[in-house]
Amino acid sequence: MKPKITFFTLLLLGQAALAQQKDLVSYVNTLQGTNSKHELTRGNTYPTTALPFGMHTWTPQTGKNGDGWKYQYFLDKIRGFQQAHQCSSWTRDYAVFSLMPMSELVVDENKREAKFSHSNEVAKPNYYKVEFDNKIVTEISPSERGAHLRFSYPAGGKSYLVLDGYNRMSGVTIHPKENKITGYVSNGQGFKRGWKSYFVLQFDQPIVAYGTWENKQNTIKTDSTTAEGLGKGAYLEFKAGSKVQVKTASSYISPEQAELNLKRELGADKNLEVTKAKAAAVWNKALGKIVVEGGSEADKATFYSCFFRASLFSRKFYEIGADGKPYYFSPYDGKVHPGHMFTDTGFWDTFRAQFPLNSLVQTEMHGQYMQALIDAYKQCGWLPSWSFPSEGGSMIGNHAISLLADAWAKGIRTFDPKEALDAYYHEAMNKGPWGPANGRDGVKEYNELGYVPYPKYRESTAKTLEYAYDDFCGYQLAKMTGNQHYIDVFQKPMYNYRNVYDASTRFMRGKGIDGQWTANFDPIEWGGPFTEGNAWHYQWSVFQDTKGLIKLMGGDQNFTAKLDSVFSVPNKVKVGTYGGMIHEMTEMVMANMGQYAHGNQPIQHMVYLYNYAGQPWKSQFHARNVMSKLYDATENGYPGDEDQGQTSSWYVLSAMGIYSVTPGTGEYVLGSPMFKKVTINLENGKKFIIEAPDNSKENVYISKATFNGKPYGKNFITHADINKGGVLKLEMSNKPNMQRGLAEDDKPFSLSK
Ligand code: CA
């Protein structure tokens, strides 16, 4: 008999499918890491209300206009709700304006603040809500280039809304009959003079009264509809006790494009609930790319809060034109181009884990990103290293090549590798006009001596180590694409790490032009030849050749003993050339894990290096220990700066049981997963599953592994294997298996064999 499929059966099936689709967004706490200040950071994040990789994000503002600490958890007053793009408190922000509801018109940002408490706050990616002590309620739900906000004023009270034009040039025009404000802001260091972020605000309630103001003297002009200049803003009055919804969107291209972004993203949304539900669906799909099961609710909250933050950077900087195709205002040449562009990241942080994670779960976007890097080079004259949104050249290294080589190694073919190598060669052979990481600082000496000398160049040993890794990435890309010319160029300098290793102290050290080691060496001294770290942290920055490093250090025993020492030596600090405690030092001391400084990037891959030296179980132990000890989903949830998704991506990869020690090889080194089951839903439709049914807080060691049913002894897995889909099954135990993963073939990639 043929079963009859009725509409009712279909309805039931549909509901069952919906029930299976977990509400992952509910696990995310966007307040994670917000309890931060200048001297001590627990993340330096803000409660970002946004869609994945969204162009504009929204947040409540507790800090003054222009302050990098835009939202600090320990404060109890909010002065506005702003459009934001910040990477980290240290970068401040750009293209900001804010809105603030009130019952009495007070424009001064210091006087209009309203008290609130966290118990009256909801902080989710798709929805932020706060009720002030004065009973005014603000709600925000995001779109990619805008937001839907609602301000609910108490019955009987007056209903004002102030638009603050932030700390530089701005312009506003009020359209009272259309219940609309249009305008622009032009603020932020990397947002060059004359560039504009055009906004449009469409209200659903009639404007009763209005005026403009400026935020330097806080003077008000009633009934004025337009203003342009430093910090110019607007205010509106609505009927008493109103509930006002406003849809807003912004564009870097034109006011017309801002209208188009609004119409396309929010036009059909009758109310905020629609935008909120749409945003929840987008996030559940994005977070559903990795489904974790069989861990505590707290661990899931940490995982999805980290995965959320890993899914914010880099930001889409392109917009969809009237013809449905992507266009962008280039932050490099200030012109509008067809195609995709991304910005807001510092590769020094993010080449390590954030981009390797994106390559795995955002493959299509990652391909667009690689072409955007080459386009950025053509428009800027230099490959990006720290974009915010234009090129800042901050930090050290030329790590764009790490992204490009890694993408190619993972089968992403969206760019011309010859163009990428030409761009990198230009980067590696020249010093750019601004910033230490714009081109190569100390390039002449690096090429002549094989290292960057100290003290002629600051942070020189860190630079030598990272240049050598970057040169390896150039070599890799050349090798994978059969480019003999560039193989010849980069095959020698990729070993330059050897030139800054001092066998007598068994540390990487500063070295002078005369070949002499920098005197009075102390491995706990920060700065000098190192970047935001000391010799304990930089010892391991030989991503491309851990085996070669092991040889330099006298073999496996010496190497693993030194890894052990990182955790067992005292957590003491010598401030060195910094002249005082910087927050990274304070965070290392607080973590109380010896010289292990997970709050900053240089050492973040270190726990995985035992895999290269015959003690993989120690990688498993330490990876789990760092995850459990240094992360949670609360306002104190990070061990230091989060840094554009990097510190979150470390957690996301580690919690799956893998980590990207050497981007450019397509390998992920094994650690120990946090969950009994992890399913990666790949964009190619396949699933890769990591099963560890006996996993628990105690059972952190891998005693046995099978891959697609066959015994698996390797301490790594390749991107290609993951991409095919399959099951990596791990038997977990509370005792290490000291026989697994010891063979040479089991060890992850190293240049030296
Ligand atoms: Ca950092």
Side-chain angles (χ1 to χ4, degrees), residues 587-620:
E587 287 141 20
M588 185 194 84
V589 173
M590 258 179 77
N592 195 20
M593 296 170 81
Q595 290 290 317
Y596 187 70
H598 193 84
N600 205 19
Q601 281 67 33
I603 208 165
Q604 287 180 347
H605 64 299
M606 183 218 112
V607 296
Y608 289 97
L609 299 182
Y610 290 101
N611 279 303
Y612 297 73
Q615 298 188 347
W617 60 91
K618 286 190 183 167
S619 289
Q620 295 152 23

mmCIF file of all heavy atoms in Angstrom, residues 587-620:
data_model
loop_
_atom_site.group_PDB
_atom_site.id
_atom_site.type_symbol
_atom_site.label_atom_id
_atom_site.label_comp_id
_atom_site.label_asym_id
_atom_site.label_seq_id
_atom_site.Cartn_x
_atom_site.Cartn_y
_atom_site.Cartn_z
ATOM 1 N N GLU A 587 48.467 40.016 32.774
ATOM 2 C CA GLU A 587 47.612 38.858 32.487
ATOM 3 C C GLU A 587 48.390 37.545 32.623
ATOM 4 O O GLU A 587 47.850 36.549 33.108
ATOM 5 C CB GLU A 587 47.010 39.005 31.081
ATOM 6 C CG GLU A 587 45.921 40.076 31.050
ATOM 7 C CD GLU A 587 45.913 40.930 29.801
ATOM 8 O OE1 GLU A 587 46.472 40.501 28.778
ATOM 9 O OE2 GLU A 587 45.355 42.040 29.859
ATOM 10 N N MET A 588 49.665 37.562 32.225
ATOM 11 C CA MET A 588 50.487 36.354 32.378
ATOM 12 C C MET A 588 50.686 36.040 33.868
ATOM 13 O O MET A 588 50.561 34.882 34.284
ATOM 14 C CB MET A 588 51.850 36.527 31.694
ATOM 15 C CG MET A 588 52.684 35.251 31.729
ATOM 16 S SD MET A 588 54.416 35.520 31.301
ATOM 17 C CE MET A 588 55.066 36.034 32.902
ATOM 18 N N VAL A 589 50.976 37.073 34.653
ATOM 19 C CA VAL A 589 51.175 36.876 36.090
ATOM 20 C C VAL A 589 49.896 36.329 36.720
ATOM 21 O O VAL A 589 49.917 35.367 37.492
ATOM 22 C CB VAL A 589 51.610 38.204 36.761
ATOM 23 C CG1 VAL A 589 51.647 38.051 38.276
ATOM 24 C CG2 VAL A 589 52.973 38.653 36.221
ATOM 25 N N MET A 590 48.758 36.906 36.339
ATOM 26 C CA MET A 590 47.459 36.487 36.888
ATOM 27 C C MET A 590 47.108 35.044 36.554
ATOM 28 O O MET A 590 46.538 34.326 37.365
ATOM 29 C CB MET A 590 46.357 37.369 36.303
ATOM 30 C CG MET A 590 45.872 38.441 37.234
ATOM 31 S SD MET A 590 44.608 39.411 36.392
ATOM 32 C CE MET A 590 43.203 38.306 36.494
ATOM 33 N N ALA A 591 47.445 34.629 35.328
ATOM 34 C CA ALA A 591 47.102 33.264 34.894
ATOM 35 C C ALA A 591 47.833 32.232 35.741
ATOM 36 O O ALA A 591 47.372 31.107 35.903
ATOM 37 C CB ALA A 591 47.448 33.071 33.422
ATOM 38 N N ASN A 592 48.992 32.635 36.287
ATOM 39 C CA ASN A 592 49.742 31.761 37.188
ATOM 40 C C ASN A 592 50.075 30.418 36.551
ATOM 41 O O ASN A 592 49.879 29.358 37.137
ATOM 42 C CB ASN A 592 48.944 31.573 38.495
ATOM 43 C CG ASN A 592 49.811 31.004 39.599
ATOM 44 O OD1 ASN A 592 51.047 31.093 39.526
ATOM 45 N ND2 ASN A 592 49.191 30.411 40.597
ATOM 46 N N MET A 593 50.546 30.479 35.317
ATOM 47 C CA MET A 593 50.962 29.273 34.602
ATOM 48 C C MET A 593 52.410 29.452 34.147
ATOM 49 O O MET A 593 52.752 29.180 32.993
ATOM 50 C CB MET A 593 50.037 29.021 33.404
ATOM 51 C CG MET A 593 48.594 28.730 33.812
ATOM 52 S SD MET A 593 47.443 28.726 32.411
ATOM 53 C CE MET A 593 47.735 27.077 31.759
ATOM 54 N N GLY A 594 53.244 29.924 35.051
ATOM 55 C CA GLY A 594 54.653 30.148 34.733
ATOM 56 C C GLY A 594 54.808 31.274 33.725
ATOM 57 O O GLY A 594 54.193 32.327 33.853
ATOM 58 N N GLN A 595 55.596 31.010 32.676
ATOM 59 C CA GLN A 595 55.797 32.022 31.639
ATOM 60 C C GLN A 595 54.805 31.833 30.480
ATOM 61 O O GLN A 595 54.955 32.452 29.428
ATOM 62 C CB GLN A 595 57.246 31.959 31.118
ATOM 63 C CG GLN A 595 58.279 32.432 32.118
ATOM 64 C CD GLN A 595 58.209 33.944 32.364
ATOM 65 O OE1 GLN A 595 58.064 34.727 31.437
ATOM 66 N NE2 GLN A 595 58.312 34.344 33.625
ATOM 67 N N TYR A 596 53.821 30.962 30.672
ATOM 68 C CA TYR A 596 52.827 30.758 29.619
ATOM 69 C C TYR A 596 51.897 31.964 29.555
ATOM 70 O O TYR A 596 51.176 32.247 30.512
ATOM 71 C CB TYR A 596 52.033 29.469 29.852
ATOM 72 C CG TYR A 596 51.113 29.153 28.687
ATOM 73 C CD1 TYR A 596 51.635 28.756 27.466
ATOM 74 C CD2 TYR A 596 49.739 29.304 28.809
ATOM 75 C CE1 TYR A 596 50.802 28.496 26.388
ATOM 76 C CE2 TYR A 596 48.898 29.035 27.735
ATOM 77 C CZ TYR A 596 49.444 28.642 26.524
ATOM 78 O OH TYR A 596 48.622 28.397 25.452
ATOM 79 N N ALA A 597 51.927 32.690 28.437
ATOM 80 C CA ALA A 597 51.186 33.954 28.304
ATOM 81 C C ALA A 597 50.149 33.818 27.191
ATOM 82 O O ALA A 597 50.297 34.398 26.117
ATOM 83 C CB ALA A 597 52.161 35.088 28.012
ATOM 84 N N HIS A 598 49.091 33.070 27.481
ATOM 85 C CA HIS A 598 48.071 32.828 26.456
ATOM 86 C C HIS A 598 47.305 34.095 26.093
ATOM 87 O O HIS A 598 46.642 34.161 25.059
ATOM 88 C CB HIS A 598 47.090 31.752 26.942
ATOM 89 C CG HIS A 598 46.200 31.222 25.864
ATOM 90 N ND1 HIS A 598 46.599 30.220 25.006
ATOM 91 C CD2 HIS A 598 44.947 31.567 25.466
ATOM 92 C CE1 HIS A 598 45.619 29.968 24.141
ATOM 93 N NE2 HIS A 598 44.611 30.781 24.401
ATOM 94 N N GLY A 599 47.404 35.113 26.963
ATOM 95 C CA GLY A 599 46.714 36.381 26.692
ATOM 96 C C GLY A 599 47.308 37.148 25.527
ATOM 97 O O GLY A 599 46.774 38.181 25.146
ATOM 98 N N ASN A 600 48.398 36.676 24.963
ATOM 99 C CA ASN A 600 48.930 37.323 23.766
ATOM 100 C C ASN A 600 49.337 36.249 22.754
ATOM 101 O O ASN A 600 49.564 35.095 23.109
ATOM 102 C CB ASN A 600 50.110 38.232 24.114
ATOM 103 C CG ASN A 600 50.278 39.333 23.081
ATOM 104 O OD1 ASN A 600 49.366 39.638 22.319
ATOM 105 N ND2 ASN A 600 51.458 39.918 23.045
ATOM 106 N N GLN A 601 49.480 36.646 21.492
ATOM 107 C CA GLN A 601 49.563 35.676 20.399
ATOM 108 C C GLN A 601 50.837 34.822 20.324
ATOM 109 O O GLN A 601 50.745 33.647 19.958
ATOM 110 C CB GLN A 601 49.357 36.385 19.054
ATOM 111 C CG GLN A 601 47.902 36.678 18.738
ATOM 112 C CD GLN A 601 47.260 37.684 19.648
ATOM 113 O OE1 GLN A 601 47.912 38.606 20.112
ATOM 114 N NE2 GLN A 601 45.993 37.505 19.935
ATOM 115 N N PRO A 602 52.048 35.381 20.602
ATOM 116 C CA PRO A 602 53.251 34.614 20.230
ATOM 117 C C PRO A 602 53.297 33.172 20.722
ATOM 118 O O PRO A 602 53.808 32.299 20.021
ATOM 119 C CB PRO A 602 54.383 35.448 20.840
ATOM 120 C CG PRO A 602 53.860 36.836 20.831
ATOM 121 C CD PRO A 602 52.381 36.702 21.129
ATOM 122 N N ILE A 603 52.749 32.884 21.884
ATOM 123 C CA ILE A 603 52.904 31.541 22.446
ATOM 124 C C ILE A 603 51.672 30.654 22.241
ATOM 125 O O ILE A 603 51.646 29.500 22.658
ATOM 126 C CB ILE A 603 53.264 31.645 23.952
ATOM 127 C CG1 ILE A 603 54.082 30.423 24.389
ATOM 128 C CG2 ILE A 603 52.025 31.837 24.817
ATOM 129 C CD1 ILE A 603 54.786 30.574 25.705
ATOM 130 N N GLN A 604 50.647 31.191 21.553
ATOM 131 C CA GLN A 604 49.366 30.469 21.529
ATOM 132 C C GLN A 604 49.435 29.073 20.882
ATOM 133 O O GLN A 604 48.611 28.216 21.185
ATOM 134 C CB GLN A 604 48.272 31.332 20.879
ATOM 135 C CG GLN A 604 47.824 32.471 21.815
ATOM 136 C CD GLN A 604 46.739 33.359 21.245
ATOM 137 O OE1 GLN A 604 46.443 33.327 20.066
ATOM 138 N NE2 GLN A 604 46.137 34.184 22.101
ATOM 139 N N HIS A 605 50.412 28.816 20.016
ATOM 140 C CA HIS A 605 50.503 27.494 19.384
ATOM 141 C C HIS A 605 51.386 26.524 20.187
ATOM 142 O O HIS A 605 51.483 25.351 19.852
ATOM 143 C CB HIS A 605 51.092 27.611 17.971
ATOM 144 C CG HIS A 605 52.505 28.123 17.957
ATOM 145 N ND1 HIS A 605 52.858 29.366 18.447
ATOM 146 C CD2 HIS A 605 53.660 27.553 17.548
ATOM 147 C CE1 HIS A 605 54.159 29.535 18.320
ATOM 148 N NE2 HIS A 605 54.671 28.451 17.790
ATOM 149 N N MET A 606 52.034 27.046 21.242
ATOM 150 C CA MET A 606 53.079 26.282 21.921
ATOM 151 C C MET A 606 52.624 24.940 22.483
ATOM 152 O O MET A 606 53.344 23.937 22.389
ATOM 153 C CB MET A 606 53.678 27.130 23.045
ATOM 154 C CG MET A 606 54.823 26.462 23.756
ATOM 155 S SD MET A 606 54.764 26.810 25.525
ATOM 156 C CE MET A 606 54.376 25.197 26.164
ATOM 157 N N VAL A 607 51.442 24.884 23.072
ATOM 158 C CA VAL A 607 51.017 23.625 23.709
ATOM 159 C C VAL A 607 50.939 22.471 22.700
ATOM 160 O O VAL A 607 51.027 21.305 23.071
ATOM 161 C CB VAL A 607 49.658 23.742 24.449
ATOM 162 C CG1 VAL A 607 49.752 24.718 25.604
ATOM 163 C CG2 VAL A 607 48.534 24.116 23.504
ATOM 164 N N TYR A 608 50.812 22.811 21.429
ATOM 165 C CA TYR A 608 50.678 21.765 20.413
ATOM 166 C C TYR A 608 52.012 21.190 19.959
ATOM 167 O O TYR A 608 52.053 20.236 19.184
ATOM 168 C CB TYR A 608 49.876 22.304 19.221
ATOM 169 C CG TYR A 608 48.420 22.474 19.590
ATOM 170 C CD1 TYR A 608 47.909 23.705 19.995
ATOM 171 C CD2 TYR A 608 47.570 21.376 19.607
ATOM 172 C CE1 TYR A 608 46.582 23.844 20.383
ATOM 173 C CE2 TYR A 608 46.247 21.498 19.990
ATOM 174 C CZ TYR A 608 45.756 22.729 20.384
ATOM 175 O OH TYR A 608 44.452 22.841 20.776
ATOM 176 N N LEU A 609 53.129 21.774 20.431
ATOM 177 C CA LEU A 609 54.438 21.379 19.896
ATOM 178 C C LEU A 609 54.956 20.053 20.462
ATOM 179 O O LEU A 609 55.875 19.460 19.896
ATOM 180 C CB LEU A 609 55.466 22.499 20.119
ATOM 181 C CG LEU A 609 55.117 23.833 19.423
ATOM 182 C CD1 LEU A 609 56.216 24.858 19.650
ATOM 183 C CD2 LEU A 609 54.882 23.634 17.921
ATOM 184 N N TYR A 610 54.374 19.569 21.557
ATOM 185 C CA TYR A 610 54.772 18.247 22.070
ATOM 186 C C TYR A 610 54.526 17.164 21.026
ATOM 187 O O TYR A 610 55.165 16.117 21.041
ATOM 188 C CB TYR A 610 53.981 17.903 23.327
ATOM 189 C CG TYR A 610 54.325 18.719 24.564
ATOM 190 C CD1 TYR A 610 53.522 19.772 24.965
ATOM 191 C CD2 TYR A 610 55.438 18.392 25.339
ATOM 192 C CE1 TYR A 610 53.812 20.502 26.120
ATOM 193 C CE2 TYR A 610 55.737 19.112 26.490
ATOM 194 C CZ TYR A 610 54.925 20.166 26.874
ATOM 195 O OH TYR A 610 55.219 20.868 28.011
ATOM 196 N N ASN A 611 53.560 17.429 20.126
ATOM 197 C CA ASN A 611 53.250 16.468 19.061
ATOM 198 C C ASN A 611 54.434 16.175 18.154
ATOM 199 O O ASN A 611 54.466 15.152 17.469
ATOM 200 C CB ASN A 611 52.121 17.027 18.185
ATOM 201 C CG ASN A 611 50.758 16.801 18.798
ATOM 202 O OD1 ASN A 611 50.377 15.681 19.076
ATOM 203 N ND2 ASN A 611 50.023 17.884 19.015
ATOM 204 N N TYR A 612 55.385 17.121 18.107
ATOM 205 C CA TYR A 612 56.522 16.994 17.184
ATOM 206 C C TYR A 612 57.693 16.274 17.838
ATOM 207 O O TYR A 612 58.705 16.025 17.189
ATOM 208 C CB TYR A 612 57.002 18.383 16.752
ATOM 209 C CG TYR A 612 55.992 19.206 15.980
ATOM 210 C CD1 TYR A 612 54.886 19.770 16.619
ATOM 211 C CD2 TYR A 612 56.153 19.446 14.626
ATOM 212 C CE1 TYR A 612 53.968 20.539 15.927
ATOM 213 C CE2 TYR A 612 55.243 20.227 13.917
ATOM 214 C CZ TYR A 612 54.150 20.767 14.578
ATOM 215 O OH TYR A 612 53.253 21.531 13.888
ATOM 216 N N ALA A 613 57.570 16.000 19.135
ATOM 217 C CA ALA A 613 58.742 15.532 19.878
ATOM 218 C C ALA A 613 58.454 14.313 20.737
ATOM 219 O O ALA A 613 59.076 14.102 21.772
ATOM 220 C CB ALA A 613 59.284 16.671 20.735
ATOM 221 N N GLY A 614 57.460 13.516 20.316
ATOM 222 C CA GLY A 614 57.250 12.237 20.975
ATOM 223 C C GLY A 614 56.475 12.272 22.284
ATOM 224 O O GLY A 614 56.474 11.299 23.024
ATOM 225 N N GLN A 615 55.798 13.405 22.587
ATOM 226 C CA GLN A 615 54.968 13.440 23.798
ATOM 227 C C GLN A 615 53.591 14.065 23.507
ATOM 228 O O GLN A 615 53.190 15.020 24.167
ATOM 229 C CB GLN A 615 55.674 14.233 24.906
ATOM 230 C CG GLN A 615 57.005 13.607 25.327
ATOM 231 C CD GLN A 615 57.604 14.289 26.548
ATOM 232 O OE1 GLN A 615 57.186 15.366 26.962
ATOM 233 N NE2 GLN A 615 58.605 13.659 27.134
ATOM 234 N N PRO A 616 52.879 13.507 22.522
ATOM 235 C CA PRO A 616 51.606 14.146 22.140
ATOM 236 C C PRO A 616 50.609 14.262 23.291
ATOM 237 O O PRO A 616 49.767 15.160 23.293
ATOM 238 C CB PRO A 616 51.070 13.236 21.025
ATOM 239 C CG PRO A 616 51.843 11.966 21.114
ATOM 240 C CD PRO A 616 53.165 12.320 21.698
ATOM 241 N N TRP A 617 50.704 13.367 24.265
ATOM 242 C CA TRP A 617 49.743 13.410 25.384
ATOM 243 C C TRP A 617 49.854 14.705 26.170
ATOM 244 O O TRP A 617 48.896 15.156 26.774
ATOM 245 C CB TRP A 617 49.917 12.189 26.295
ATOM 246 C CG TRP A 617 51.293 12.074 26.907
ATOM 247 C CD1 TRP A 617 51.699 12.590 28.095
ATOM 248 C CD2 TRP A 617 52.433 11.412 26.337
ATOM 249 N NE1 TRP A 617 53.022 12.291 28.309
ATOM 250 C CE2 TRP A 617 53.501 11.566 27.253
ATOM 251 C CE3 TRP A 617 52.642 10.692 25.161
ATOM 252 C CZ2 TRP A 617 54.771 11.042 27.005
ATOM 253 C CZ3 TRP A 617 53.898 10.166 24.923
ATOM 254 C CH2 TRP A 617 54.953 10.346 25.840
ATOM 255 N N LYS A 618 51.036 15.321 26.155
ATOM 256 C CA LYS A 618 51.171 16.596 26.871
ATOM 257 C C LYS A 618 50.457 17.731 26.121
ATOM 258 O O LYS A 618 49.934 18.648 26.738
ATOM 259 C CB LYS A 618 52.646 16.930 27.100
ATOM 260 C CG LYS A 618 53.280 16.069 28.180
ATOM 261 C CD LYS A 618 54.649 16.573 28.567
ATOM 262 C CE LYS A 618 55.288 15.639 29.594
ATOM 263 N NZ LYS A 618 56.725 15.926 29.763
ATOM 264 N N SER A 619 50.432 17.658 24.796
ATOM 265 C CA SER A 619 49.629 18.627 24.033
ATOM 266 C C SER A 619 48.160 18.472 24.415
ATOM 267 O O SER A 619 47.437 19.448 24.600
ATOM 268 C CB SER A 619 49.788 18.397 22.519
ATOM 269 O OG SER A 619 51.073 18.775 22.100
ATOM 270 N N GLN A 620 47.734 17.202 24.520
ATOM 271 C CA GLN A 620 46.329 16.933 24.864
ATOM 272 C C GLN A 620 45.999 17.494 26.245
ATOM 273 O O GLN A 620 44.989 18.180 26.420
ATOM 274 C CB GLN A 620 46.073 15.413 24.815
ATOM 275 C CG GLN A 620 46.219 14.843 23.399
ATOM 276 C CD GLN A 620 46.649 13.387 23.364
ATOM 277 O OE1 GLN A 620 46.454 12.643 24.327
ATOM 278 N NE2 GLN A 620 47.235 12.969 22.255
#
